[in-house]
Amino acid sequence: MLLEKSQELIELSQRRKSLQNFAANLQIIQDRKNKINDTIAAIQPLAEGLQAFRQRGMIDIELANKTDKIVNLIIKIEEKLSNNNEWIFDIENIEINNLKSDAERLKNTLEQQLSKCWQRYRDQKMPSTNNEILNLLAKVEAFKQTVLQIQDIEKDLKNIRYPKNNAEFAICELKIEQLKHSWKSLKSDEFPEAVSHFLQAVSEEGADLSLLTPEVQDWINQNGISDSFKIRLT
């Protein structure tokens, strides 16, 4: 009887140890998978953004190569894990930590570079609008809606840190084209060239009195904005 009880205790002890080992291994697997998943989550969206910039020839080759290297490494890890879960034991914690650190550094660098590239691209493509002229024309009923549209589009574009993928990039490019069209429409036949020259001069260093032609004066009076201008001696 005592021998049987002893055997049962030994078996229970072995089973308990086996369960403890299983629990410990399960925790190791989960921790390592979490780190890999965090790395994937951090770098994958940026890789999509990079691809959009790359297709437009807007990104540094060295940075693109670094990103490709890490993305390819992550893909290989995912493939190995999908084929054999136990492979997770073959990779050391230090390797996963190094991969995560490299990805985090790359993420920060890539975000900065994409933001700078986008700002350069946006500023080159956007028409050079003038806030003072826009604010003035917002008082003219005929131009009010167009001015509001221009201001809204400009605000949207400047609030974008950088397009995250090709779809977002296409939307941004469409907005830039809309902005160009709206700004160009302010210089239509309803907006005489003499008025354009006068307003441009006023918004910069002040207009020479010779620019205030009868045509310009009539346009100002007709649109009820004469109180927006003052004459000063230089």
Side-chain angles (χ1 to χ4, degrees):
M1 186 72 176
L2 184 60
L3 185 61
E4 289 177 359
K5 288 290 182 183
S6 298
Q7 187 62 35
E8 286 179 9
L9 287 172
I10 290 171
E11 289 176 359
L12 283 171
S13 176
Q14 290 175 339
R15 193 177 306 161
R16 181 183 177 186
K17 186 175 181 180
S18 176
L19 287 171
Q20 286 175 335
N21 288 337
F22 176 78
N25 288 339
L26 190 62
Q27 188 61 50
I28 290 171
I29 291 172
Q30 195 59 52
D31 287 346
R32 292 182 180 181
K33 279 191 173 182
N34 286 341
K35 287 179 181 178
I36 292 170
N37 288 336
D38 288 346
T39 304
I40 294 169
I43 207 69
Q44 188 168 351
L46 287 165
E48 291 180 14
L50 177 69
Q51 183 64 20
F53 280 79
R54 197 187 222 164
Q55 288 177 7
R56 292 162 176 83
M58 294 168 56
I59 201 68
D60 179 79
I61 294 176
E62 184 180 351
L63 187 60
N65 289 340
K66 285 181 181 178
T67 307
D68 286 344
K69 184 178 178 180
I70 289 185
V71 169
N72 290 334
L73 182 55
I74 290 172
I75 290 171
K76 286 180 182 178
I77 289 173
E78 283 185 304
E79 288 175 349
K80 287 184 178 180
L81 283 175
S82 64
N83 293 330
N84 180 14
N85 273 335
E86 292 184 3
W87 176 81
I88 199 76
F89 292 113
D90 295 333
I91 186 170
E92 297 292 334
N93 254 329
I94 190 168
E95 292 180 70
I96 298 175
N97 289 336
N98 287 342
L99 175 64
K100 190 174 179 181
S101 297
D102 288 346
E104 190 62 34
R105 282 194 297 271
L106 180 64
K107 174 178 177 287
N108 294 334
T109 302
L110 198 51
E111 283 182 334
Q112 292 173 11
Q113 289 297 316
L114 292 181
S115 180
K116 287 179 182 177
C117 285
W118 162 244
Q119 287 175 31
R120 277 198 306 270
Y121 178 85
R122 179 198 68 199
D123 293 344
Q124 287 171 359
K125 295 290 184 180
M126 283 172 62
S128 181
T129 59
N130 185 301
N131 284 331
E132 290 187 29
I133 290 179
L134 287 174
N135 290 333
L136 175 63
L137 293 178
K139 300 176 183 179
V140 180
E141 194 60 38
F143 300 111
K144 187 174 183 179
Q145 194 58 42
T146 304
V147 169
L148 289 175
Q149 185 179 45
I150 288 171
Q151 291 173 331
D152 285 344
I153 295 174
E154 279 191 326
K155 184 179 178 182
D156 287 346
L157 288 170
K158 288 180 179 179
N159 281 340
I160 295 170
R161 188 176 183 190
Y162 60 86
K164 304 297 190 298
N165 49 51
N166 266 317
E168 284 192 17
F169 220 118
I171 291 172
C172 290
E173 289 171 327
L174 180 60
K175 283 181 179 289
I176 290 173
E177 289 306 310
Q178 289 173 338
L179 182 62
K180 287 179 180 178
H181 176 75
S182 296
W183 180 245
K184 187 177 179 181
S185 73
L186 289 180
K187 300 178 180 181
S188 65
D189 293 338
E190 295 180 70
F191 197 69
E193 189 174 351
V195 174
S196 177
H197 290 161
F198 175 76
L199 293 179
Q200 187 67 39
V202 166
S203 67
E204 292 175 352
E205 297 178 357
D208 189 272
L209 199 57
S210 63
L211 292 176
L212 187 60
T213 63
E215 181 186 19
V216 174
Q217 184 68 63
D218 287 344
W219 187 90
I220 291 172
N221 292 335
Q222 287 168 11
N223 289 287
I225 56 173
S226 57
D227 60 350
S228 298
F229 303 93
K230 294 183 183 297
I231 296 175
R232 289 191 175 92
L233 290 172
T234 57

